[in-house]
Amino acid sequence: MNKTIVIVDDEREIADLVEVYLKNDGYQVHKFYDASSALSQIETSEPDLAILDVMLPDMDGFVLCQRIREHHLFPIIMLTARVEDMDKITGLTLGADDYITKPFNPLELLARVKTQLRRYTRYNQSLSARELLEYDIRGLHISKDSHRCTLNGKEISLTPLEFDILWYLGSHQGTVVPSEELFEAVWGEKYLDSNNTVMAHIARLREKLHEPARRPKFIKTVWGVGYTIE
């Protein structure tokens, strides 16, 4: 069955362009020009991935991303003309998996869609296809066989990307994982020095784990190097 992708962008020419490239690659596409219509569709028929603009007529795209994340874990790619680092960090912190600025290369967008779908597909593989592996770190339990994470017995809802980050850090417990290594291992792309993606996702993970900003219990920052779970 073909994967279904939701596009939410009030610039009709952009939405039409993205739709053409996705359909040519075999994807089913649902296209919306406002957030409310997209939310109604998502609640009745969950897609495999969503591409969201930030500047929408009825709702900020960041708010839309946050609303989706309240109930859904499928990948979200933000597509917007905003280029400021804080806008990127905001989107990623609220649950987006990737961020592409306009103008963009449609082939690059298509490649990023495929990357996110591959990760999400791995996340949803049948349990019998996975090796039984798990870590228990002072009440933080990470299970790869079920892709579940619990903290003191209470389940923590993680996106596939967030789980991959936490799993990689947990599998290197006691060692410092450089930001570059973490990014390339989880995202499968070349790391750039100006990339704030790792920092934004670590911040969201800490929030979900109820970590104090100044003295985190689990994910600790080694400034100038990377992150570690001790």
Side-chain angles (χ1 to χ4, degrees):
M1 183 176 178
N2 293 340
K3 300 291 186 182
T4 300
I5 297 176
V6 162
I7 303 170
V8 190
D9 197 320
D10 64 336
E11 293 187 69
R12 293 174 181 263
E13 293 180 357
I14 296 290
D16 292 346
L17 175 66
V18 174
E19 179 185 31
V20 167
Y21 274 83
L22 291 173
K23 283 189 172 181
N24 285 344
D25 214 62
Y27 297 107
Q28 295 182 21
V29 176
H30 296 298
K31 185 173 54 177
F32 302 95
Y33 305 118
D34 62 81
S36 299
S37 300
L39 275 175
S40 297
Q41 170 69 26
I42 289 170
E43 292 307 315
T44 58
S45 179
E46 180 170 316
D48 296 287
L49 181 143
I51 300 172
L52 312 180
D53 187 25
V54 170
M55 304 295 290
L56 296 170
D58 58 338
M59 184 186 300
D60 188 292
F62 294 142
V63 176
L64 174 58
C65 176
Q66 191 173 30
R67 290 276 298 275
I68 291 173
R69 277 290 172 257
E70 290 174 359
H71 303 287
H72 306 279
L73 296 176
F74 57 80
I76 296 174
I77 298 176
M78 304 298 293
L79 180 64
T80 177
R82 295 186 177 182
V83 297
E84 293 84 358
D85 282 346
M86 281 309 301
D87 284 329
K88 297 179 182 179
I89 293 171
T90 297
L92 295 170
T93 301
L94 291 175
D97 297 281
D98 205 351
Y99 197 113
I100 300 178
T101 55
K102 302 174 182 178
F104 61 94
N105 184 331
L107 294 176
E108 178 187 357
L109 175 60
L110 188 60
R112 295 195 182 209
V113 165
K114 291 179 179 178
T115 296
Q116 294 300 331
L117 287 173
R118 279 197 300 269
R119 178 178 291 115
Y120 193 58
T121 299
R122 289 201 307 268
Y123 179 82
N124 288 290
Q125 286 174 341
S126 63
L127 299 182
S128 60
R130 283 201 210 85
E131 180 183 2
L132 179 62
L133 288 171
E134 57 187 35
Y135 295 102
D136 198 332
I137 306 167
R138 301 188 306 282
L140 176 63
H141 187 83
I142 317 167
S143 174
K144 194 169 186 179
D145 71 325
S146 61
H147 262 73
R148 293 178 68 242
C149 172
T150 60
L151 179 59
N152 298 322
K154 183 177 180 180
E155 185 163 0
I156 305 296
S157 179
L158 301 179
T159 67
L161 188 58
E162 291 165 350
F163 182 89
D164 285 349
I165 294 170
L166 191 60
W167 180 260
Y168 194 84
L169 291 174
S171 66
H172 293 76
Q173 183 182 353
T175 64
V176 179
V177 177
S179 298
E180 177 179 355
E181 177 186 336
L182 182 59
F183 182 85
E184 294 183 357
V186 174
W187 277 263
E189 300 176 11
K190 185 66 177 176
Y191 179 84
L192 301 176
D193 289 340
S194 60
N195 197 320
N196 292 307
T197 303
V198 172
M199 180 178 66
H201 280 85
I202 291 292
R204 182 160 177 80
L205 266 174
R206 284 174 171 159
E207 180 183 340
K208 289 189 173 184
L209 295 173
H210 310 294
E211 293 260 62
R214 296 185 178 275
R215 300 190 66 180
K217 179 180 177 182
F218 298 106
I219 305 174
K220 299 184 178 180
T221 300
V222 181
W223 294 107
V225 183
Y227 303 92
T228 183
I229 292 182
E230 297 178 347

